[in-house]
Amino acid sequence: MTELERALVQLGRELDLPPEPDLRSRVRERIERRRPRYRRALVPALAFLLVALGIAMAVPDARSAILRFFHIGAATIERVETLPPARERPLTAGLGPALSLREAEARSGVSLVLNGPRPQRFYAQPGLIATLLQYRGRRVLLAELQGDQTGIVKKLADPDTRVEPAPIGSFGLWLEGGRHVLIWEAGAGEVRQIEPRLAGNVLIWAEGGRTFRLEGGLTKGQMLELGQQITR
């Protein structure tokens, strides 16, 4: 150690330095001051929203307004006072001629999801693939739509049609009773619309970026049973 270094060390020992400040508490205070105010109010605001929604759902008129419109994946369900013109038609009406699975997947651009035995005939439109299944002695139309293209499928339900949640997929709905109209529409960029028809009991659910739709003369429990078999 040189004479200069020894002198500096001795000088440091003789200096009366203040104690080291507690920087941790100051840093925490600055972080709290900079935190946006909306974050502090987020929890009570969400709690208030849930309470308000619960109150609204308990009031018949408010519940009716809330349940007037649904959008699940590629399916839109809307309540209307007057149904558009439609008539009874076969389940596959407007979906085009029967195709092989390979032809239907090529035309629709959708790979069919169906566990278990597969039928021989399929139907397709851009973004949509469908087939008829036999389940518990009933014919059921299975339709699958890819992605989230608003307006590909619209269901217009009159006030007598019951719409309720269904425990399937990421979100499901069950439609039963009354008279409701099904309108198949083409995907993005298409203006063609298939003729509307009156529809029966329907289970709709979204799962894995796909919208599934089952229609036929089954109960809610039977439809859920079939839907879970299809995607298990």
Side-chain angles (χ1 to χ4, degrees):
M1 181 179 294
T2 65
E3 290 294 327
L4 177 60
E5 289 173 336
R6 282 194 289 270
L8 290 174
V9 170
Q10 184 61 32
L11 177 62
R13 291 172 180 170
E14 296 175 359
L15 290 176
D16 186 16
L17 297 175
E20 296 179 1
D22 183 8
L23 297 179
R24 291 175 297 179
S25 61
R26 294 184 183 180
V27 170
R28 283 196 296 266
E29 290 176 2
R30 288 192 177 184
I31 292 175
E32 288 295 326
R33 284 199 301 269
R34 292 181 180 180
R35 181 175 297 174
R37 294 183 179 180
Y38 72 86
R39 291 186 181 178
R40 301 176 185 177
L42 182 60
V43 172
L46 287 176
F48 175 79
L49 178 60
L50 291 174
V51 171
L53 181 60
I55 294 173
M57 291 296 286
V59 180
D61 290 343
R63 182 173 64 247
S64 177
I66 292 170
L67 299 180
R68 191 174 182 85
F69 180 88
F70 292 97
H71 177 62
I72 306 177
T76 300
I77 302 169
E78 182 182 2
R79 287 193 179 276
V80 294
E81 295 181 2
T82 303
L83 291 173
R87 60 186 176 88
E88 299 281 353
R89 306 181 72 205
L91 289 172
T92 57
L95 294 180
L99 305 169
S100 68
L101 178 57
R102 179 177 297 180
E103 291 170 333
E105 289 184 335
R107 175 168 171 73
S108 66
V110 179
S111 297
L112 184 76
V113 174
L114 177 58
N115 289 308
R118 294 191 174 187
Q120 298 300 312
R121 295 190 297 178
F122 301 86
Y123 305 85
Q125 296 292 329
L128 177 153
I129 189 169
T131 188
L132 284 173
L133 307 175
Q134 287 286 341
Y135 191 73
R136 295 183 177 270
R138 302 275 186 166
R139 298 183 80 194
V140 180
L141 177 68
L142 167 66
E144 301 181 13
L145 302 102
Q146 190 69 46
D148 185 11
Q149 304 175 55
T150 304
I152 287 184
V153 179
K154 289 186 179 180
K155 295 192 64 66
L156 305 175
D158 75 2
D160 294 329
T161 303
R162 185 164 65 254
V163 181
E164 58 188 44
I168 186 171
S170 57
F171 182 66
L173 283 178
W174 167 249
L175 286 80
E176 180 182 14
R179 291 166 63 86
H180 49 280
V181 175
L182 169 65
I183 303 175
W184 297 111
E185 290 188 347
E190 299 277 348
V191 295
R192 176 187 49 76
Q193 178 174 295
I194 301 171
E195 183 179 348
R197 67 171 174 83
L198 295 174
N201 293 346
V202 174
L203 176 66
I204 301 176
W205 74 98
E207 184 173 344
R210 179 168 300 202
T211 305
F212 296 86
R213 180 184 182 279
L214 285 172
E215 177 187 351
L218 298 177
T219 66
K220 181 180 180 181
Q222 292 169 340
M223 283 286 202
L224 286 170
E225 184 179 78
L226 176 57
Q228 289 162 357
Q229 289 181 18
I230 289 170
T231 56
R232 70 165 180 256

